[in-house]
Amino acid sequence: MVAARTRLAKATLVAAAAATLAACASVSPDGGMAPVVSRVSLELGKDTAKIVTPADAAAVEGRVRALLARPLTADGAVQIALLNNRGLQAEYNALGVSEAAYVEASLPPSPTVSLERVAGSGDLDVERRLIADLLQLLTLPRRARIAETEFRAAQQKAIASTFRTAAEARRTWIRAVAARETVGFLETARASAGAAAELTRKLGETGASTKLDQARSGALYAEVSTELAEARLDAAREREGLTRRLGLWGQDADFKLPGRLPGLPKLKPQGDVEAAALTRRVDIIADRLELDALAQGYGLTEQTRAISMLEVTGIANRARSAEGEKANPEGFEVAVQIPIFDFGKARSARARETYMGAVNRLLEKAVNARSEAREAYQTWRGRHDIARSYQTRVLPLRKTISEESLLRYNGMLVDAFELLTNARENVASNVAAIRAKRDFFIADVDFQAALIGGGAPSAAPQAAAASAPSASAASPH
């Protein structure tokens, strides 16, 4: 009878172990990066890679140097950031940690082996024990599935981090090039204002220009020079921000930027932006997977709420008496924790509340995603209309005003005051046009991020514009 029970216990342990070994996972060669690389290529048309070996680092360095050999485009900046940004590499390392946790959770618990030897008065007693946590073995497939779901959520979070890095790199490139374009325009405007101030001064020496006209001309030159100095500081700051986003240093930081932003594109019709956001945003997909993991964990908690320990021990003894008699008894031992004080209600309540909290957060994110998609779309359209208005209406009218004012001044129909006022307003309009184009391209990045994920939109452009001086802010002298 004892032998039959022993064989039954062994068979139970073997069956449980065999059933759980099939659930074991292994660490992938790429650290779980395959879905990340595939989704980034699909949505962004760019490559990303995890740097593991010196060969990987050398390959990335060679590709970055090739992209820096020519003036840096927005796509080139995004590609460099996806390959060279160390913060993104740290996110990929975190993904590898998540995969290791998944593999670890899929492995069966290690058994405990104990050996006891007692001797005295000629008697010898040797006891061997093999202890296995049967509850852990029986629930291993469920726990492995939970860990796999959590790992899939971690992959989506890695994709979101990649999208965020790409979006920030593109925004920073846009700001840097717009600042450079502003500097270029103000340098030309200052040269013109300086030539006008010098001409007015020479005319004053001949009596053909009043002291008031000379002061007004000199004030315009000083105002444009001050705004140029501010623009240069802004350009240097934006360039350093781009350098940090790209992870560049040393000689690589001497990259070249284009002198101006590209022209405004034609807007393509968009479908249901709300539906696109709900189905494509990787942060929502990650939260759904985490919710699935919590649901599976909640179900496991309910199944094991009354039993938190179930151990099976196989026992084999070898005894020898002083008279030389030998005995080899075998058996097993089952240990179950009796829930006298805790029937698992606290664990069940905690799991239920955690799950419902995740449900509410996911519903909140879905509502917010719809609103963010609508807001980003409206901003995208509105910024394009504003920038187009500057290009097709404001700047052509300003050019006409400047030409007509110069003709009237040469015909002695207006004085220098009106000419200088028009020049000051022309500078302000051109700077505002550059900022409007910059704001549209940033809104385009924010719109794409609202559809696929990648972080909150950038700060409101109005705040950035308000911090920059404008020649039109000065009252006419």
Side-chain angles (χ1 to χ4, degrees):
M1 186 67 177
V2 173
R5 291 178 179 177
T6 302
R7 289 193 296 271
L8 178 61
K10 290 182 178 179
T12 302
L13 290 174
V14 171
T20 55
L21 285 176
C24 296
S26 60
V27 178
S28 60
D30 62 354
M33 284 290 295
V36 180
V37 173
S38 176
R39 184 69 188 276
V40 170
S41 176
L42 175 65
E43 297 288 355
L44 304 180
K46 299 291 182 293
D47 300 326
T48 188
K50 181 180 179 180
I51 301 176
V52 179
T53 65
D56 295 337
V60 167
E61 182 179 1
R63 189 166 181 186
V64 169
R65 292 285 175 84
L67 291 170
L68 295 175
R70 51 186 181 271
L72 187 62
T73 63
D75 289 336
V78 170
Q79 184 60 81
I80 292 176
L82 295 185
L83 295 174
N84 203 51
N85 186 285
R86 291 298 171 171
L88 182 59
Q89 289 296 317
E91 296 292 339
Y92 293 160
N93 295 137
L95 176 60
V97 172
S98 178
E99 184 185 38
Y102 160 50
V103 173
E104 185 178 13
S106 69
L107 299 176
S110 300
T112 302
V113 178
S114 67
L115 178 65
E116 180 180 356
R117 181 180 184 275
V118 180
S121 303
D123 294 336
L124 176 64
D125 187 4
V126 179
E127 181 178 274
R128 293 163 291 176
R129 288 173 173 261
L130 179 63
I131 306 172
D133 191 335
L134 187 58
L135 182 62
Q136 293 292 321
L137 283 172
L138 294 176
T139 59
L140 180 60
R142 291 285 300 272
R143 291 186 290 109
R145 287 194 295 271
I146 293 172
E148 181 184 8
T149 305
E150 292 173 343
F151 171 55
R152 290 170 55 200
Q155 289 178 320
Q156 296 299 319
K157 290 182 178 179
I159 296 173
S161 297
T162 307
F163 287 170
R164 187 179 305 111
T165 299
E168 285 300 325
R170 192 176 293 273
R171 290 189 191 103
T172 311
W173 181 91
I174 292 168
R175 294 191 185 100
V177 175
R180 179 177 169 84
E181 183 176 357
T182 302
V183 169
F185 171 77
L186 290 176
E187 285 177 344
T188 303
R190 188 184 67 165
S192 300
E198 180 65 18
L199 177 61
T200 304
R201 186 186 65 80
K202 290 182 178 180
L203 291 176
E205 293 176 354
T206 63
S209 177
T210 65
K211 187 174 182 179
L212 179 60
D213 289 339
Q214 295 178 54
R216 286 170 173 166
S217 181
L220 176 62
Y221 174 74
E223 290 167 359
V224 175
S225 298
T226 301
E227 190 167 355
L228 174 60
E230 292 284 354
R232 285 173 173 169
L233 289 176
D234 183 61
R237 181 174 62 254
E238 296 294 349
R239 182 183 177 89
E240 290 301 329
L242 179 59
T243 302
R244 291 192 295 271
R245 290 290 178 186
L246 303 185
L248 301 176
W249 61 282
Q251 295 181 351
D252 291 340
D254 296 330
F255 56 86
K256 297 180 180 179
L257 287 173
R260 58 185 303 148
L261 290 170
L264 290 175
K266 292 183 178 180
L267 295 185
K268 298 180 180 179
Q270 302 292 324
D272 188 348
V273 295
E274 295 184 30
L278 291 178
T279 56
R280 295 172 61 190
R281 278 184 56 157
V282 289
D283 54 339
I284 294 181
I285 297 175
D287 285 355
R288 285 173 179 167
L289 290 172
E290 289 184 337
L291 185 62
D292 290 343
L294 286 174
Q296 296 176 44
Y298 178 48
L300 182 61
T301 301
E302 286 295 306
Q303 290 181 356
T304 61
R305 57 180 294 184
I307 301 176
S308 59
M309 185 188 75
L310 176 60
E311 291 183 347
V312 177
T313 304
I315 304 173
N317 284 358
R318 179 182 178 186
R320 186 184 65 190
S321 65
E323 291 77 14
E325 296 180 358
K326 298 181 180 181
N328 298 301
E330 296 180 351
F332 68 94
E333 176 183 292
V334 178
V336 181
Q337 187 180 56
I338 302 175
I340 298 177
F341 304 104
D342 183 9
F343 287 89
K345 291 184 178 180
R347 289 193 299 126
S348 178
R350 182 172 62 248
R352 182 177 61 254
E353 295 299 334
T354 302
Y355 172 74
M356 291 308 301
V359 170
N360 288 321
R361 282 191 293 271
L362 178 59
L363 292 176
E364 179 190 26
K365 179 166 287 188
V367 172
N368 293 343
R370 291 175 179 271
S371 176
E372 290 167 3
R374 294 193 303 268
E375 179 185 2
Y377 174 73
Q378 294 167 1
T379 304
W380 176 67
R381 289 296 304 265
R383 288 293 170 192
H384 184 273
D385 293 342
I386 293 172
R388 178 67 66 185
S389 177
Y390 270 104
Q391 299 295 327
T392 60
R393 299 179 61 188
V394 177
L395 294 185
L397 289 174
R398 279 295 169 193
K399 182 179 180 182
T400 301
I401 292 173
S402 297
E403 293 173 350
E404 291 298 321
S405 296
L406 183 59
L407 290 176
R408 291 169 66 84
Y409 176 77
N410 291 334
M412 302 182 68
L413 298 177
V414 297
D415 58 7
F417 172 75
E418 183 174 345
L419 187 65
L420 293 173
T421 300
N422 291 331
R424 183 180 292 109
E425 293 173 349
N426 184 64
V427 169
S429 295
N430 277 272
V431 171
I434 295 173
R435 291 172 180 164
K437 187 164 58 170
R438 173 202 65 187
D439 294 343
F440 162 72
F441 283 113
I442 292 177
D444 183 61
V445 176
D446 293 342
F447 180 41
Q448 295 303 317
L451 295 182
I452 66 174
S458 58
Q462 293 91 337
S467 63
S470 175
S472 64
S475 60
H477 296 280

